[in-house]
Amino acid sequence: MTAEPTAPIRWPAEALWQALVPVLPGLTIEVLPEIDSTNSELMRRFRRACVTGAGNASPGAEPIVLVAEQQTAGRGRLGRHWQSTRADSLTFSLGLPLQPADWSGLSLVVGISVAESLNPAPASGQPHIGLKWPNDLWLCGAPANGDTYTKLGGILVETASWEGRRYAVIGVGINIRPVTVASEVGSPAAVPPGCLQALSPGLEAPDALLRLLPPLVEALQTFARFGFAPFRARFAARDVLSGQPVQLSDGTQGTAQGVGEQGALLVHTPAGMKEISSAEVSVRPLAPDPGSGAAHALRGERPC
Ligand code: BTN
């Protein structure tokens, strides 16, 4: 039996290149049918070019957008696996030289930009994209979710340096269409991840990429010049943890109080206010609903 032919996906590579090359000279846009991980591939290319390209002004540090229709070993933060399916997900990495004075808050800036591009003006009480510190995009208040916030996408930022120059690889994964989450026999049904089409029916991965990439590049260039401070209020407007009881991975419990000037999570604890900036810290709701079965589900009193 032959495999079903897959419908080609029309990526707006030319339109994106035209829009971005004035601000990212030397830009390449590449679409691969399959790769292990777009982040891994760009990090490999950068390191390889550093080894073989001695003498070149900035080997392998040219800006590139690498889109994968399918990732076979997608990576999330803290060594987690990132699962996605062809046409049901958008998975890409943007690699570019970046020289901010302070790197703090970069993944938050990416999240803010992506959320604002895909969901520009959420009306009060309506489904919208929220941000969960430090790198999650959440779908909030969509009818299928009730009051549950479910993960819609994630961001993985990695950097490499060569002779004092830093290269950033910014990986973004977004669920576009609903995916089914198998639950084990006898265990409660898992909450399916959120998907963009619950918010914008009919929006496909190529449209989402075209919508979010030019503002993302602009946000990164603003971040490189001014740091996180200009983004702080924009993060606050979508911060799903603010005012929520949280538990840190070291067992500390407290209430999330937004983020500081550099993007650190502020947590009010019995021992006073703590600024959490370490990537090793995970933030979880206290007393999760035992029926949800999902680490990514968070129920809140207030509309998210
Ligand atoms: C997370 O939620 O922990 C981050 C997920 C990041 C996934 C994206 S998909 C494109 C890029 N390539 C990867 O392997 N990971 C990022």
Side-chain angles (χ1 to χ4, degrees):
M1 204 167 89
T2 50
E4 285 264 313
T6 47
I9 303 174
R10 294 182 173 281
W11 295 98
E14 179 64 27
L16 276 171
W17 188 83
Q18 296 284 358
L20 291 175
V21 80
V23 286
L24 284 180
L27 173 72
T28 306
I29 298 194
E30 192 176 331
V31 178
L32 294 176
E34 188 176 290
I35 188 82
D36 55 349
S37 147
T38 52
N39 264 47
S40 301
E41 174 64 6
L42 291 191
M43 294 298 278
R44 278 193 299 264
R45 288 185 191 186
F46 180 79
R47 292 196 194 103
R48 207 181 305 135
C50 289
V51 172
T52 58
N56 189 334
S58 51
E62 297 82 12
I64 179 166
V65 176
L66 182 63
V67 180
E69 293 187 345
Q70 178 71 67
Q71 290 191 130
T72 55
R75 295 187 291 114
R77 274 181 73 246
L78 308 175
R80 295 192 194 107
H81 182 61
W82 180 262
Q83 226 178 312
S84 56
T85 9
R86 186 183 186 277
D88 291 343
S89 321
L90 171 63
T91 49
F92 74 93
S93 299
L94 165 65
L96 76 173
L98 209 62
Q99 303 282 358
D102 181 356
W103 288 82
S104 322
L106 175 54
S107 72
L108 277 61
V109 168
V110 177
I112 293 163
S113 173
V114 171
E116 289 178 350
S117 300
L118 297 179
N119 175 220
S124 168
Q126 292 303 302
H128 66 277
I129 300 178
L131 297 169
K132 177 176 167 279
W133 187 94
N135 73 324
D136 285 0
L137 295 155
W138 285 39
L139 177 64
C140 302
N145 293 343
D147 63 352
T148 305
Y149 322 164
T150 48
K151 184 155 171 168
L152 176 70
I155 292 148
L156 179 65
V157 175
E158 297 177 296
T159 63
S161 48
W162 183 81
E163 294 196 343
R165 294 174 61 95
R166 295 287 291 274
Y167 189 68
V169 173
I170 290 151
V172 179
I174 296 172
N175 307 321
I176 299 290
R177 268 199 272 266
V179 292
T180 38
V181 178
S183 62
E184 287 177 26
V185 179
S187 66
V191 174
C195 72
L196 193 58
Q197 289 196 352
L199 198 62
S200 305
L203 193 78
E204 300 290 347
D207 314 317
L209 184 68
L210 189 57
R211 230 185 245 195
L212 70 81
L213 207 47
L216 175 59
V217 169
E218 194 186 326
L220 292 171
Q221 293 181 337
T222 303
F223 173 77
R225 292 184 64 198
F226 304 111
F228 179 71
F231 294 92
R232 191 177 174 193
R234 287 159 66 182
F235 184 84
R238 293 180 189 259
D239 181 357
V240 301
L241 289 180
S242 182
Q244 297 282 337
V246 292
Q247 181 165 316
L248 310 181
S249 50
D250 67 0
T252 306
Q253 298 188 349
T255 305
Q257 302 282 351
V259 299
E261 287 253 313
Q262 268 86 38
L265 180 68
L266 304 177
V267 181
H268 189 255
T269 75
M273 193 68 88
K274 282 196 168 198
E275 280 206 17
I276 314 298
S277 50
S278 161
E280 301 309 315
V281 175
S282 66
V283 184
R284 295 187 181 280
L286 284 178
D289 178 349
S292 81
H296 291 316
L298 169 65
R299 287 178 189 277
E301 297 280 289
R302 67 191 168 80
C304 152

